[in-house]
mmCIF file of all heavy atoms in Angstrom:
data_model
loop_
_atom_site.group_PDB
_atom_site.id
_atom_site.type_symbol
_atom_site.label_atom_id
_atom_site.label_comp_id
_atom_site.label_asym_id
_atom_site.label_seq_id
_atom_site.Cartn_x
_atom_site.Cartn_y
_atom_site.Cartn_z
ATOM 1 N N ASN A 407 61.719 28.819 -60.918
ATOM 2 C CA ASN A 407 60.986 28.422 -59.715
ATOM 3 C C ASN A 407 59.885 27.426 -60.070
ATOM 4 O O ASN A 407 59.737 26.380 -59.425
ATOM 5 C CB ASN A 407 60.397 29.661 -59.030
ATOM 6 C CG ASN A 407 59.755 29.346 -57.691
ATOM 7 O OD1 ASN A 407 60.144 28.428 -56.983
ATOM 8 N ND2 ASN A 407 58.748 30.133 -57.335
ATOM 9 N N PHE A 408 59.122 27.726 -61.106
ATOM 10 C CA PHE A 408 58.032 26.845 -61.503
ATOM 11 C C PHE A 408 58.584 25.492 -61.967
ATOM 12 O O PHE A 408 58.094 24.441 -61.566
ATOM 13 C CB PHE A 408 57.188 27.503 -62.600
ATOM 14 C CG PHE A 408 56.160 28.469 -62.056
ATOM 15 C CD1 PHE A 408 56.530 29.568 -61.304
ATOM 16 C CD2 PHE A 408 54.814 28.262 -62.299
ATOM 17 C CE1 PHE A 408 55.583 30.449 -60.802
ATOM 18 C CE2 PHE A 408 53.856 29.138 -61.797
ATOM 19 C CZ PHE A 408 54.235 30.237 -61.051
ATOM 20 N N THR A 409 59.616 25.504 -62.803
ATOM 21 C CA THR A 409 60.211 24.257 -63.300
ATOM 22 C C THR A 409 60.760 23.421 -62.152
ATOM 23 O O THR A 409 60.541 22.205 -62.094
ATOM 24 C CB THR A 409 61.326 24.562 -64.318
ATOM 25 O OG1 THR A 409 60.759 25.288 -65.409
ATOM 26 C CG2 THR A 409 61.968 23.297 -64.835
ATOM 27 N N ASP A 410 61.464 24.060 -61.221
ATOM 28 C CA ASP A 410 62.018 23.357 -60.064
ATOM 29 C C ASP A 410 60.916 22.695 -59.245
ATOM 30 O O ASP A 410 61.031 21.525 -58.846
ATOM 31 C CB ASP A 410 62.816 24.339 -59.199
ATOM 32 C CG ASP A 410 63.421 23.675 -57.976
ATOM 33 O OD1 ASP A 410 64.164 22.682 -58.130
ATOM 34 O OD2 ASP A 410 63.134 24.151 -56.852
ATOM 35 N N GLN A 411 59.824 23.405 -59.006
ATOM 36 C CA GLN A 411 58.723 22.849 -58.217
ATOM 37 C C GLN A 411 58.040 21.698 -58.963
ATOM 38 O O GLN A 411 57.638 20.701 -58.367
ATOM 39 C CB GLN A 411 57.713 23.945 -57.863
ATOM 40 C CG GLN A 411 58.273 24.993 -56.918
ATOM 41 C CD GLN A 411 58.667 24.419 -55.571
ATOM 42 O OE1 GLN A 411 58.073 23.480 -55.065
ATOM 43 N NE2 GLN A 411 59.701 25.004 -54.971
ATOM 44 N N GLY A 412 57.923 21.819 -60.273
ATOM 45 C CA GLY A 412 57.355 20.734 -61.074
ATOM 46 C C GLY A 412 58.212 19.481 -61.022
ATOM 47 O O GLY A 412 57.701 18.362 -60.894
ATOM 48 N N GLU A 413 59.535 19.653 -61.101
ATOM 49 C CA GLU A 413 60.452 18.503 -61.023
ATOM 50 C C GLU A 413 60.377 17.844 -59.652
ATOM 51 O O GLU A 413 60.396 16.612 -59.545
ATOM 52 C CB GLU A 413 61.876 18.948 -61.346
ATOM 53 C CG GLU A 413 62.066 19.296 -62.812
ATOM 54 C CD GLU A 413 63.397 19.964 -63.124
ATOM 55 O OE1 GLU A 413 64.194 20.243 -62.186
ATOM 56 O OE2 GLU A 413 63.638 20.215 -64.327
ATOM 57 N N LYS A 414 60.290 18.645 -58.600
ATOM 58 C CA LYS A 414 60.160 18.098 -57.245
ATOM 59 C C LYS A 414 58.855 17.325 -57.099
ATOM 60 O O LYS A 414 58.819 16.272 -56.458
ATOM 61 C CB LYS A 414 60.247 19.216 -56.200
ATOM 62 C CG LYS A 414 61.641 19.765 -56.040
ATOM 63 C CD LYS A 414 61.685 20.898 -55.033
ATOM 64 C CE LYS A 414 63.101 21.420 -54.880
ATOM 65 N NZ LYS A 414 63.168 22.578 -53.987
ATOM 66 N N LEU A 415 57.781 17.849 -57.700
ATOM 67 C CA LEU A 415 56.491 17.158 -57.638
ATOM 68 C C LEU A 415 56.584 15.794 -58.321
ATOM 69 O O LEU A 415 56.173 14.785 -57.748
ATOM 70 C CB LEU A 415 55.394 18.001 -58.286
ATOM 71 C CG LEU A 415 54.028 17.313 -58.438
ATOM 72 C CD1 LEU A 415 53.429 16.977 -57.073
ATOM 73 C CD2 LEU A 415 53.091 18.174 -59.253
ATOM 74 N N ILE A 416 57.109 15.750 -59.531
ATOM 75 C CA ILE A 416 57.202 14.482 -60.267
ATOM 76 C C ILE A 416 58.043 13.476 -59.489
ATOM 77 O O ILE A 416 57.668 12.300 -59.368
ATOM 78 C CB ILE A 416 57.775 14.709 -61.684
ATOM 79 C CG1 ILE A 416 56.789 15.513 -62.536
ATOM 80 C CG2 ILE A 416 58.130 13.390 -62.359
ATOM 81 C CD1 ILE A 416 55.474 14.814 -62.823
ATOM 82 N N ALA A 417 59.169 13.903 -58.942
ATOM 83 C CA ALA A 417 60.027 12.995 -58.161
ATOM 84 C C ALA A 417 59.281 12.454 -56.944
ATOM 85 O O ALA A 417 59.353 11.252 -56.643
ATOM 86 C CB ALA A 417 61.307 13.719 -57.740
ATOM 87 N N ALA A 418 58.554 13.317 -56.236
ATOM 88 C CA ALA A 418 57.818 12.889 -55.046
ATOM 89 C C ALA A 418 56.666 11.952 -55.401
ATOM 90 O O ALA A 418 56.408 10.971 -54.691
ATOM 91 C CB ALA A 418 57.299 14.110 -54.286
ATOM 92 N N VAL A 419 55.977 12.230 -56.512
ATOM 93 C CA VAL A 419 54.872 11.373 -56.953
ATOM 94 C C VAL A 419 55.397 9.970 -57.264
ATOM 95 O O VAL A 419 54.831 8.963 -56.830
ATOM 96 C CB VAL A 419 54.150 12.002 -58.174
ATOM 97 C CG1 VAL A 419 53.259 10.995 -58.886
ATOM 98 C CG2 VAL A 419 53.344 13.212 -57.729
ATOM 99 N N ARG A 420 56.490 9.909 -58.009
ATOM 100 C CA ARG A 420 57.081 8.603 -58.355
ATOM 101 C C ARG A 420 57.589 7.882 -57.108
ATOM 102 O O ARG A 420 57.427 6.669 -56.977
ATOM 103 C CB ARG A 420 58.176 8.783 -59.386
ATOM 104 C CG ARG A 420 57.602 9.134 -60.750
ATOM 105 C CD ARG A 420 58.657 9.150 -61.842
ATOM 106 N NE ARG A 420 58.033 9.357 -63.128
ATOM 107 C CZ ARG A 420 58.457 10.210 -64.042
ATOM 108 N NH1 ARG A 420 59.539 10.931 -63.826
ATOM 109 N NH2 ARG A 420 57.813 10.326 -65.185
ATOM 110 N N ALA A 421 58.202 8.612 -56.188
ATOM 111 C CA ALA A 421 58.705 8.006 -54.953
ATOM 112 C C ALA A 421 57.564 7.438 -54.113
ATOM 113 O O ALA A 421 57.760 6.470 -53.368
ATOM 114 C CB ALA A 421 59.489 9.042 -54.138
ATOM 115 N N ALA A 422 56.372 8.005 -54.238
ATOM 116 C CA ALA A 422 55.201 7.514 -53.508
ATOM 117 C C ALA A 422 54.527 6.338 -54.216
ATOM 118 O O ALA A 422 53.524 5.814 -53.738
ATOM 119 C CB ALA A 422 54.191 8.652 -53.314
ATOM 120 N N GLY A 423 55.090 5.929 -55.365
ATOM 121 C CA GLY A 423 54.527 4.790 -56.094
ATOM 122 C C GLY A 423 53.344 5.127 -56.963
ATOM 123 O O GLY A 423 52.601 4.244 -57.385
ATOM 124 N N LEU A 424 53.158 6.406 -57.261
ATOM 125 C CA LEU A 424 52.061 6.846 -58.118
ATOM 126 C C LEU A 424 52.592 7.133 -59.516
ATOM 127 O O LEU A 424 53.769 7.427 -59.698
ATOM 128 C CB LEU A 424 51.397 8.092 -57.532
ATOM 129 C CG LEU A 424 50.795 7.914 -56.138
ATOM 130 C CD1 LEU A 424 50.343 9.248 -55.577
ATOM 131 C CD2 LEU A 424 49.653 6.924 -56.172
ATOM 132 N N ASP A 425 51.711 7.061 -60.490
ATOM 133 C CA ASP A 425 52.092 7.267 -61.886
ATOM 134 C C ASP A 425 51.558 8.587 -62.408
ATOM 135 O O ASP A 425 50.340 8.746 -62.554
ATOM 136 C CB ASP A 425 51.558 6.127 -62.760
ATOM 137 C CG ASP A 425 52.182 4.794 -62.404
ATOM 138 O OD1 ASP A 425 53.408 4.754 -62.185
ATOM 139 O OD2 ASP A 425 51.433 3.798 -62.351
ATOM 140 N N PRO A 426 52.451 9.544 -62.738
ATOM 141 C CA PRO A 426 51.985 10.796 -63.349
ATOM 142 C C PRO A 426 51.474 10.538 -64.761
ATOM 143 O O PRO A 426 51.981 9.680 -65.477
ATOM 144 C CB PRO A 426 53.236 11.676 -63.367
ATOM 145 C CG PRO A 426 54.392 10.801 -63.084
ATOM 146 C CD PRO A 426 53.889 9.518 -62.522
ATOM 147 N N VAL A 427 50.444 11.288 -65.127
ATOM 148 C CA VAL A 427 49.843 11.188 -66.458
ATOM 149 C C VAL A 427 49.961 12.569 -67.101
ATOM 150 O O VAL A 427 49.413 13.535 -66.584
ATOM 151 C CB VAL A 427 48.358 10.773 -66.370
ATOM 152 C CG1 VAL A 427 47.712 10.780 -67.742
ATOM 153 C CG2 VAL A 427 48.218 9.416 -65.699
ATOM 154 N N GLY A 428 50.663 12.677 -68.201
ATOM 155 C CA GLY A 428 50.794 13.957 -68.879
ATOM 156 C C GLY A 428 51.841 14.835 -68.235
ATOM 157 O O GLY A 428 52.669 14.390 -67.430
ATOM 158 N N ASP A 429 51.784 16.105 -68.602
ATOM 159 C CA ASP A 429 52.776 17.086 -68.158
ATOM 160 C C ASP A 429 52.314 17.835 -66.918
ATOM 161 O O ASP A 429 51.123 17.960 -66.652
ATOM 162 C CB ASP A 429 53.028 18.103 -69.276
ATOM 163 C CG ASP A 429 53.659 17.456 -70.504
ATOM 164 O OD1 ASP A 429 54.476 16.530 -70.340
ATOM 165 O OD2 ASP A 429 53.318 17.878 -71.622
ATOM 166 N N VAL A 430 53.289 18.382 -66.211
ATOM 167 C CA VAL A 430 53.016 19.242 -65.068
ATOM 168 C C VAL A 430 52.368 20.530 -65.585
ATOM 169 O O VAL A 430 52.708 21.027 -66.650
ATOM 170 C CB VAL A 430 54.320 19.575 -64.315
ATOM 171 C CG1 VAL A 430 54.076 20.608 -63.219
ATOM 172 C CG2 VAL A 430 54.941 18.316 -63.726
ATOM 173 N N TYR A 431 51.424 21.044 -64.815
ATOM 174 C CA TYR A 431 50.857 22.362 -65.088
ATOM 175 C C TYR A 431 50.832 23.127 -63.774
ATOM 176 O O TYR A 431 51.129 22.563 -62.711
ATOM 177 C CB TYR A 431 49.488 22.277 -65.770
ATOM 178 C CG TYR A 431 48.402 21.566 -64.987
ATOM 179 C CD1 TYR A 431 47.429 22.287 -64.315
ATOM 180 C CD2 TYR A 431 48.331 20.176 -64.949
ATOM 181 C CE1 TYR A 431 46.414 21.649 -63.618
ATOM 182 C CE2 TYR A 431 47.323 19.532 -64.254
ATOM 183 C CZ TYR A 431 46.369 20.263 -63.589
ATOM 184 O OH TYR A 431 45.375 19.625 -62.892
#
Side-chain angles (χ1 to χ4, degrees):
N407 186 30
F408 277 59
T409 300
D410 180 56
Q411 293 297 328
E413 289 170 356
K414 287 178 179 176
L415 173 64
I416 293 295
V419 165
R420 288 187 174 134
L424 300 172
D425 295 317
V427 175
D429 295 324
V430 173
Y431 61 102

